[in-house]
Amino acid sequence: MKLRELLREYENQLEEGQRDAYVPKVLFYHLANKEPHELYLMMDEEVDQSIEEEFRKGMNRFLDGEPIQYIKGKETFFTRDFTVNESVLIPRYETEELVENILYKIDDYFDQYKEIELCDVGTGSGAISITLALEEPKLNVIATDISEDALVVAKKNALDLNADVTFYQGDLLQPLIDLDKKFDIFVSNPPYIPAMQDIESVVKDNEPHVALFGGEDGLYFYRKIFNDVKSILKERALLAFEMGFDQRELMEEAVEAAFPHIPYEIIKDINGKDRMLFIYYHLDDQRNT
Ligand code: GLN
């Protein structure tokens, strides 16, 4: 069968179901190990039998509702390819913005530091911790997750991408408390979707719920972190979180209760939605002296 015909067959099915009709091309160039522009030159060539079989299997999984990232086993984050599977959340574009903002804040507040201790709690695929370690060599990065299966993926990503990150298994801050270490920067993208919130079925039916749902109002894990985190922070520290777009008021309440008189900021993502929380824990006190 010619590539053009094979792609068309699935594009038609997807268009009928009003779904993303670019997915067949994306899957094919992934399987054939080609760049998009090379695909265009191959349209009238016969498709290799074994690739066709794999492609049909993958397309059927997609038609059954699986995310294309799990089918490919990859997602790009900050220009790098990360391995993903059902044990980890698929890295989101919004989270690249969190990483970008953390890098800016490092320049703002830690420019004079020779080494910076950073931890990432609930690292999942390792997208945040590995990217930060690769982008900012001054960072010493420790990452944790409660899920052993997620850590298998994160460790593979660190190895494949040659990133120096140390991983620990455990519940929230516990592994860090056990280490008896203090951090300059605390990062987390905890599960923050309220338990009863209706979310897209492609997310709900495929991605790990342990990485998605954050209790009744979505803030369960933030409150737990806020309560315990001071014991693992250095005297001056930056805390950086991803958060849900509809959580500003609740988040302000939770931050102000746990960190009275400490400055903080909620930053919007590129879509204009509240998405990132930064807490400046005694940061300015020393910058001015
Ligand atoms: N941003 C993810 C979603 O909306 C949720 C990630 C999280 O809970 N940390 O699907």
Side-chain angles (χ1 to χ4, degrees):
M1 186 180 242
K2 285 193 176 140
L3 176 56
R4 187 189 304 282
E5 294 160 11
L6 183 63
L7 293 176
R8 185 62 13 228
E9 183 183 323
Y10 288 96
E11 284 163 359
N12 287 342
Q13 285 190 55
L14 290 168
E15 270 160 20
E16 274 167 32
Q18 314 225 316
R19 299 184 58 196
D20 298 330
Y22 66 88
V23 165
K25 287 200 182 80
V26 169
L27 179 61
F28 192 88
Y29 67 70
H30 168 74
L31 291 174
N33 222 345
K34 299 282 179 196
E35 297 295 324
H37 68 274
E38 293 177 294
L39 197 64
Y40 160 76
L41 297 170
M42 294 166 60
M43 283 296 176
D44 290 316
E45 287 176 20
E46 289 295 312
V47 179
D48 181 273
Q49 189 95 43
S50 67
I51 292 186
E52 181 178 333
E53 257 170 52
E54 249 194 283
F55 174 80
R56 287 185 183 280
K57 253 193 243 160
M59 280 314 305
N60 288 334
R61 284 170 65 186
F62 184 74
L63 288 165
D64 282 345
E66 250 187 88
I68 185 66
Q69 294 90 341
Y70 288 154
I71 298 167
K72 287 167 59 179
K74 296 265 173 229
E75 175 62 318
T76 306
F77 187 83
F78 233 84
T79 74
R80 300 181 183 90
D81 270 354
F82 282 77
T83 291
V84 293
N85 64 26
E86 291 74 3
S87 301
V88 299
L89 192 81
I90 298 165
R92 306 287 204 267
Y93 176 72
E94 290 87 336
T95 310
E96 293 187 330
E97 289 193 59
L98 174 67
V99 169
E100 193 184 330
N101 276 289
I102 293 169
L103 292 168
Y104 286 132
K105 305 283 174 201
I106 291 174
D107 290 342
D108 287 347
Y109 293 102
F110 300 95
D111 205 33
Q112 311 296 323
Y113 285 48
K114 295 222 159 48
E115 286 188 61
I116 304 165
E117 307 301 323
L118 180 145
C119 63
D120 171 28
V121 167
T123 197
S125 65
I128 296 175
S129 55
I130 291 169
T131 305
L132 285 168
L134 292 171
E135 295 293 329
E136 178 50 78
K138 285 199 288 194
L139 292 173
N140 298 321
V141 181
I142 289 183
T144 71
D145 207 287
I146 194 166
S147 160
E148 297 272 8
D149 293 340
L151 285 173
V152 171
V153 178
K155 284 177 186 169
K156 173 175 165 43
N157 281 322
L159 199 65
D160 291 348
L161 294 167
N162 213 359
D164 192 2
V165 176
T166 312
F167 295 98
Y168 294 94
Q169 189 275 332
D171 190 12
L172 284 179
L173 308 185
Q174 199 54 49
L176 305 171
I177 294 169
D178 294 345
L179 278 175
D180 202 18
K181 225 176 125 58
K182 309 243 186 247
F183 295 90
D184 301 293
I185 304 182
F186 177 95
V187 184
S188 185
N189 173 16
Y192 56 67
I193 299 174
M196 299 311 283
Q197 194 166 90
D198 218 6
I199 56 171
E200 280 180 287
S201 59
V202 63
V203 175
K204 188 171 185 169
D205 298 344
N206 293 284
E207 297 195 71
H209 288 192
V210 64
L212 289 173
F213 294 105
E216 204 178 329
D217 66 1
L219 264 69
Y220 176 80
F221 294 103
Y222 299 85
R223 294 196 186 94
K224 280 195 87 148
I225 291 171
F226 294 167
N227 271 334
D228 300 338
V229 73
K230 285 173 200 158
S231 67
I232 59 156
L233 295 179
K234 292 210 188 160
E235 224 165 287
R236 66 191 295 272
L238 173 72
L239 296 94
F241 298 86
E242 187 172 310
M243 61 180 267
F245 70 94
D246 52 359
Q247 293 171 342
R248 176 181 280 268
E249 274 89 43
L250 282 171
M251 191 62 90
E252 288 175 343
E253 231 173 81
V255 176
E256 285 167 24
F259 294 92
H261 312 299
I262 297 289
Y264 69 94
E265 189 177 16
I266 290 172
I267 298 180
K268 292 186 190 309
D269 65 22
I270 201 168
N271 296 313
K273 294 186 169 165
D274 291 326
R275 185 64 63 195
M276 291 154 269
L277 165 69
F278 286 91
I279 301 174
Y280 307 102
Y281 189 67
H282 305 146
L283 278 181
D284 275 324
D285 310 4
Q286 284 178 37
R287 196 165 60 152
N288 298 331
T289 57

